[in-house]
Amino acid sequence: VKHSAATPWHETLGGRFFLSFCYLYLTVAPCACFFMLYTPEAEALELTWADAFYFGTVVATTIGFGDIVPQTSGGRLFLTCYMLVASVCLAKILETIVTTVSDTIGDRIVGEIFESTTWVHKADVHKTGFITESDFILFKLQQLQLVDADVLNRLVQRFEYLDSANREGYLTIGDEIPSKEMVEEMEKEAKRNGERIMQVWRRRRQHLAGRAAASEISSHNSTTIVEEKGDGRGVYIDA
């Protein structure tokens, strides 16, 4: 029995939120450090480290309360560049958070679809009272929106067309569909004639269909009456 490897902590919901929080304050830290260590600005604003981190958070999140503003030309120049970089970093952090929440919800929905059998009866399109493995898989793929319903209907119609001759519910290799050996022969023929392999197969199918029709007519014509009973009924055999 195979056991899936445990999810790394940084890919879990809590791990992603923790890393997003860390990235946010790594983004804020340069701003806070500048306004605490750049002497002209530090002397003009007289901020504490708490004030500096608060100001960095306000700037990085583009809130801009306006209660703290740079007082020197150097501070304004730094803040102009910092806001551009911080905006990009914040967008990436928000993307990580939204993706994490979306993936978590999506995984839960997918899990429920896998487990649910509530609507699986709709897979019984032919009203036979039972559902095959392929019916179940195709229906679940449609529920998961991994395949379009119109595409499935076209494939069903194509299968029914290929199976229209005998209505057995399956396709015979070498008859309705070519065998591996036939494909290899057709590839060579297509290459010689400069054709597509589907053109060669279409021509061969027409030839096979013609032979089958001729054989059926010949078989029908060879049936003879060998005895007629008193009540007018005949006994037929194949000659």
Side-chain angles (χ1 to χ4, degrees):
V1 179
K2 286 188 175 181
H3 298 280
S4 58
T7 304
W9 73 270
H10 61 274
E11 293 184 5
T12 62
L13 181 62
R16 288 187 179 184
F17 272 108
F18 174 75
L19 288 177
S20 298
F21 180 81
C22 292
Y23 293 150
L24 174 61
Y25 277 92
L26 284 174
T27 304
V28 169
C31 183
C33 292
F34 175 85
F35 281 95
M36 288 301 295
L37 301 177
Y38 181 60
T39 305
E41 197 69 60
E43 291 176 351
L45 292 176
E46 297 181 351
L47 300 178
T48 64
W49 278 102
D51 292 334
F53 268 96
Y54 159 76
F55 178 53
T57 304
V58 169
V59 173
T61 55
T62 68
I63 296 174
F65 287 129
D67 51 346
I68 302 175
V69 294
Q71 301 297 315
T72 66
S73 298
R76 295 188 185 98
L77 179 61
F78 169 80
L79 210 56
T80 300
C81 298
Y82 171 78
M83 284 189 292
L84 296 175
V85 176
S87 298
V88 175
C89 293
L90 181 66
K92 183 63 178 176
I93 292 168
L94 292 177
E95 179 191 6
T96 300
I97 294 173
V98 171
T99 302
T100 299
V101 174
S102 177
D103 288 348
T104 302
I105 296 174
D107 289 344
R108 190 187 71 222
I109 293 174
V110 168
E112 290 176 356
I113 291 176
F114 269 104
E115 296 296 327
S116 174
T117 56
T118 304
W119 302 104
V120 176
H121 64 276
K122 290 187 175 183
D124 184 16
V125 293
H126 297 294
K127 309 301 181 184
T128 59
F130 59 88
I131 294 170
T132 64
E133 180 181 8
S134 58
D135 292 335
F136 180 83
I137 292 173
L138 289 174
F139 181 75
K140 285 299 178 180
L141 286 174
Q142 189 176 343
Q143 273 194 315
L144 293 167
Q145 298 183 352
L146 296 176
V147 63
D148 188 79
D150 291 337
V151 172
L152 285 179
N153 289 332
R154 290 181 63 186
L155 290 173
V156 170
Q157 291 170 6
R158 180 58 178 163
F159 180 89
E160 290 176 347
Y161 170 77
L162 293 173
D163 189 40
S164 58
N166 47 34
R167 297 290 182 182
E168 294 175 337
Y170 59 85
L171 303 179
T172 305
I173 296 177
D175 186 2
E176 290 92 352
I177 56 176
S179 64
K180 177 183 176 181
E181 293 77 12
M182 293 171 68
V183 170
E184 292 174 351
E185 291 177 4
M186 289 188 297
E187 283 180 336
K188 295 176 182 177
E189 183 176 342
K191 189 177 294 184
R192 284 196 308 268
N193 300 334
E195 297 177 306
R196 294 172 58 198
I197 190 171
M198 288 184 64
Q199 293 175 300
V200 178
W201 172 237
R202 192 176 294 117
R203 189 166 59 248
R204 288 198 177 192
R205 282 208 69 191
Q206 291 173 350
H207 177 67
L208 291 173
R211 286 180 57 186
S215 176
E216 184 177 350
I217 293 172
S218 175
S219 175
H220 178 73
N221 292 337
S222 65
T223 303
T224 57
I225 301 176
V226 295
E227 179 183 357
E228 184 174 322
K229 295 184 179 179
D231 57 4
R233 290 181 300 169
V235 178
Y236 295 83
I237 65 168
D238 289 338

